[in-house]
Amino acid sequence: MNRKNLFGLTLDELIAELEPLPKFRAKQIAQNIYKHGKISFDEMTDLPKNLRAELSERYEIKIAELLTRLDSRDGLTTKFLLGFDGAAVEIVLMRHDYGNSVCISSQVGCQMGCKFCASTLKGLERNLTAAEMLAEIFFVEMFLRGDGQKLDSVVIMGTGEPLMNFDALIKMLRLLHEDYCLGMSYRKITISTCGVVPAIKKLRDEKIPVTLSISLHAPDENLRSELMPINSAFGLKTLLAAGDDYAQATGRRVTYEYILLGGVNDTEEHARRLAKILSGQLANVNLIPFNPVSERNFLPPTKSAVQKFFHFLNTHGIGATIRKEMGADVNAACGQLRAKFDGR
Ligand code: SAH
């Protein structure tokens, strides 16, 4: 008989599943799994032996299957391809000087159709469940614990549009934040969206003060609609208003991501328009030099275009940073490892 996987259940779900076991036992099991990373009931030495044997017969604790792993030459970036029921999902561990961070995927594939992105080339296969998203994070936490380290922050910026998988996303974030789980502060979590405006409002109403990153990529309606189909549904103006509203409600500065595409959106005129539309907002800009994708016909910006754009924003009242390129030798841009794996 197939054993049921307990990984990803909340404490309330564990209590219901394990009934008539007393609640404190469910709590011990939750802590064993999430806090102590025990994936075999035999290791749960605070449970009576006969209970451990009974649990092992009915249940398992399965996190994720490792399909392949790639390390950057500088040792700072490790990319893992994980398998969930036949789906391949990419995550990236980045060792920054301010701590360890993981970039996770929210969907298998993506339906948003952004013109420069590899993740959306084959459309959406399916949503990831809350348990699978938690497993992506947990996999890295366990990997780091093996090295005597820990995970400090999470960015949901891999394959997929997290706000199109809203309920599973919120369930996962709340579980991640629980004391019996990793107890991760919401402030250490960043969600990146292409601009699903109604879901940004829903996220605000959840009252979990995660950092919001909005993929802007263009300073006017026409260019943005050309690059990102979502802009035809929710235009730039509505998106900026939703971003401002999120910042006001949470007191958290919104980050606007801006991919620099050589010759497309990287001139001084674009920088001027960007500074204008963001002036007065509680916002930062993160400039991302385009990471070339073989299937896409865009060029990276020149070094000098990046510097000029960056300088223009910073001297016109907009705090901007340039995304540090990490792990270019392991294809750290989203979707690229998975695309290669699928194309075997
Ligand atoms: N759907 C979400 C999160 C996934 S994409 C979003 O759109 O924000 C994460 C970020 O990577 C986005 O800003 C996206 O536009 C950017 N991105 C996609 N392809 C890229 C590429 N080839 N080079 C650089 N950045 C890329």
Side-chain angles (χ1 to χ4, degrees), residues 116-117 156-158 160-162 192-194 215 217 257 259 288-291 293 333-334 336:
F116 43 79
C117 181
I156 306 170
M157 217 180 255
E161 171 47 51
S192 181
T193 177
C194 64
S215 294
H217 306 334
E257 294 158 87
I259 293 196
I288 315 172
F290 174 64
N291 195 331
V293 179
C334 46
Q336 298 186 4

Side-chain angles (χ1 to χ4, degrees), residues 103-104 106-107 110 112 114 116-119 156-163 191-195 213-217 228 257-261 288-293 296 323 333-334 336:
C103 174
I104 67 158
S106 53
Q107 297 180 310
C110 182
M112 306 315 292
C114 297
F116 43 79
C117 181
S119 296
I156 306 170
M157 217 180 255
T159 299
E161 171 47 51
L163 297 187
I191 296 178
S192 181
T193 177
C194 64
S213 244
I214 296 180
S215 294
L216 205 61
H217 306 334
M228 305 175 74
E257 294 158 87
Y258 192 100
I259 293 196
L260 291 164
L261 301 160
I288 315 172
F290 174 64
N291 195 331
V293 179
R296 298 299 206 187
R323 170 142 337 148
C334 46
Q336 298 186 4

Side-chain angles (χ1 to χ4, degrees), residues 193-205:
T193 177
C194 64
V196 189
V197 170
I200 294 176
K201 295 185 176 154
K202 258 170 80 184
L203 182 65
R204 173 203 63 196
D205 294 340

Side-chain angles (χ1 to χ4, degrees), residues 49-100:
K49 231 177 170 170
N50 57 346
L51 175 60
R52 284 187 253 159
E54 242 172 69
L55 289 167
S56 318
E57 266 173 36
R58 293 176 56 194
Y59 300 110
E60 63 178 344
I61 302 155
K62 210 171 80 190
I63 301 183
E65 185 195 347
L66 175 62
L67 298 178
T68 150
R69 167 185 170 176
L70 273 174
D71 289 277
S72 65
R73 268 187 294 273
D74 62 11
L76 296 178
T77 306
T78 305
K79 192 157 195 171
F80 302 96
L81 195 69
L82 303 181
F84 295 110
D85 289 332
V89 171
E90 227 174 274
I91 59 175
V92 189
L93 160 63
M94 289 161 288
R95 300 169 182 86
H96 299 285
D97 36 15
Y98 53 84
N100 295 314

Side-chain angles (χ1 to χ4, degrees), residues 320-331:
T321 48
I322 301 174
R323 170 142 337 148
K324 197 173 139 205
E325 201 187 357
M326 289 190 75
D329 54 332
V330 292
N331 283 332

